[in-house]
Amino acid sequence: AAAAEAGAGPLRVGFVGAGRMAEAIAQGFIRAGKVEARHILASAPTDRNLCHFQALGCQTTHSNQEVLQNCLLVFFATKPHVLPTVLAEVAPLVTAEHILVSVAAGVSLSTLEELLPPTARVLRVSPNLPCMVQEGAMVMARGRHAGSSEAKLLQALLEACGQCEEVPEAHVDIHTGLSGSGVAFVCAFSEALAEGAIKMGMPGGLAHRIAAQTLLGTAKMLQQNGQHPAQLRT
């Protein structure tokens, strides 16, 4: 269905910026069979990060413009301060067919739309690192010219990387703190749980495995029962 949405032939997906977040999303698409690796094209200034895409079987280039010329769905995954320069560079190549998705933290839809042609279809996504293991928590917001078909296409693809919900843009930045930084808080908590067991004499590896599985199991119970954490805790 995704391919049909994007016109004839298979859906070609581009990544401008090839860091950890871009790699996590690409990996999710490939693992879930949503997009073939050979239909993914990533660009970055050096090979430092592109080698990860090459290892996945994706195409790579040093030209951001080449990505826009070859792909209709393009993820912008550069560092936020670099994004305006990148958008200025590719703006002349943006057509009515393109669906442009920014994963840059803190860059608003209005800023993105100002830097692109007037009718560009833009969406904003806030992913998190567990996308790498298909358990990401993601939210997305659409710009003025992105309709429900673009939102549905993007959501269907991103479900390959975990859970994705459409939200008002005001919630996107909150999500960055909650689920982006949240990963680090959960790690600190998991570490503290295991440390207690280690102090009592349990081997470190075992303690950390059990702590991680306890977090996974608890999260699953919360999701499946739809309970407030306080109910389960009690």
Side-chain angles (χ1 to χ4, degrees), residues 33-137:
K34 298 265 185 181
V35 186
E36 283 184 50
R38 65 197 176 94
H39 294 140
I40 293 176
L41 175 63
S43 67
T46 68
D47 283 335
R48 192 167 60 97
N49 290 329
L50 290 178
C51 60
H52 300 298
F53 274 83
Q54 288 157 1
L56 289 170
C58 303
Q59 309 286 318
T60 60
T61 175
H62 293 302
S63 161
N64 296 334
Q65 294 187 332
E66 195 181 322
V67 175
L68 273 285
Q69 285 161 341
N70 286 283
C71 307
L72 290 183
L73 176 63
V74 179
F75 287 84
F76 290 93
T78 64
K79 291 272 188 286
H81 68 277
V82 180
L83 191 56
T85 315
V86 168
L87 292 177
E89 181 200 342
V90 301
L93 298 169
V94 173
T95 68
E97 269 68 63
H98 280 106
I99 301 172
L100 308 174
V101 183
S102 168
V103 295
V107 183
S108 69
L109 283 165
S110 60
T111 301
L112 295 165
E113 287 175 338
E114 273 168 34
L115 295 163
L116 289 162
T119 55
R121 299 188 287 176
V122 185
L123 299 101
R124 232 187 116 181
V125 171
S126 175
N128 71 344
L129 213 47
C131 287
M132 294 199 98
V133 290
Q134 283 82 59
E135 289 295 352

Side-chain angles (χ1 to χ4, degrees), residues 143-220:
R144 285 177 308 168
H145 303 291
S148 58
S149 65
E150 286 84 17
K152 281 199 185 86
L153 168 66
L154 184 59
Q155 202 165 6
L157 280 173
L158 289 174
E159 295 284 343
C161 304
Q163 203 177 46
C164 180
E165 297 195 33
E166 188 175 355
V167 298
E169 189 181 17
H171 297 174
V172 176
D173 290 333
I174 301 170
H175 176 272
T176 304
L178 172 62
S179 93
S181 309
V183 174
F185 284 102
V186 173
C187 287
F189 177 68
S190 187
E191 208 178 332
L193 276 181
E195 284 302 320
I198 292 165
K199 280 198 177 107
M200 298 299 289
M202 185 181 273
L206 178 63
H208 285 294
R209 286 196 300 277
I210 291 174
Q213 182 60 33
T214 303
L215 292 179
L216 183 68
T218 307
K220 206 163 186 177

